Amino acid sequence: MPLKIVVLRGILFLLFAAAGLWMTTLALLAVQRRVEWKRDGVSVEGEVVGFEERASTDASDVRPLFAPIIAFRVAGGDARRFMSAVAVRPNPRVPAPTPR
């Protein structure tokens, strides 16, 4: 086998091995963050106080999506609001929420 092919295979092996190690490291960091979030997170009771209307990322779909806005109180008693990163289309059999 010519030396060029052996060297090329070696270089490709090292590149793919480095990419695999990088992705493994990122996956382990993501798992670690999730474990910390579950361990250190706090559950609170909240109430849906409104919805924010968002446009669909699909240009051919003109129907709006709605993201809930949740109000809750933290341990110190301060009121906070959180808007979900997940926006969905409401069930057509249920009246649509009024956007804020």
Side-chain angles (χ1 to χ4, degrees), residues 10-64:
I11 290 171
L12 286 174
F13 170 78
L14 290 175
L15 286 174
F16 279 100
L21 287 173
W22 178 252
M23 286 192 257
T24 302
T25 303
L26 290 179
L28 290 173
L29 286 174
V31 168
Q32 180 184 2
R33 284 184 182 174
R34 185 174 175 95
V35 167
E36 289 173 358
W37 176 73
K38 283 184 171 185
R39 182 187 65 222
D40 300 334
V42 177
S43 293
V44 294
E45 292 289 325
E47 177 182 353
V48 176
V49 294
F51 294 88
E52 179 180 284
E53 186 174 328
R54 294 186 184 164
S56 175
T57 56
D58 183 4
S60 65
D61 189 4
V62 295
R63 299 175 299 168

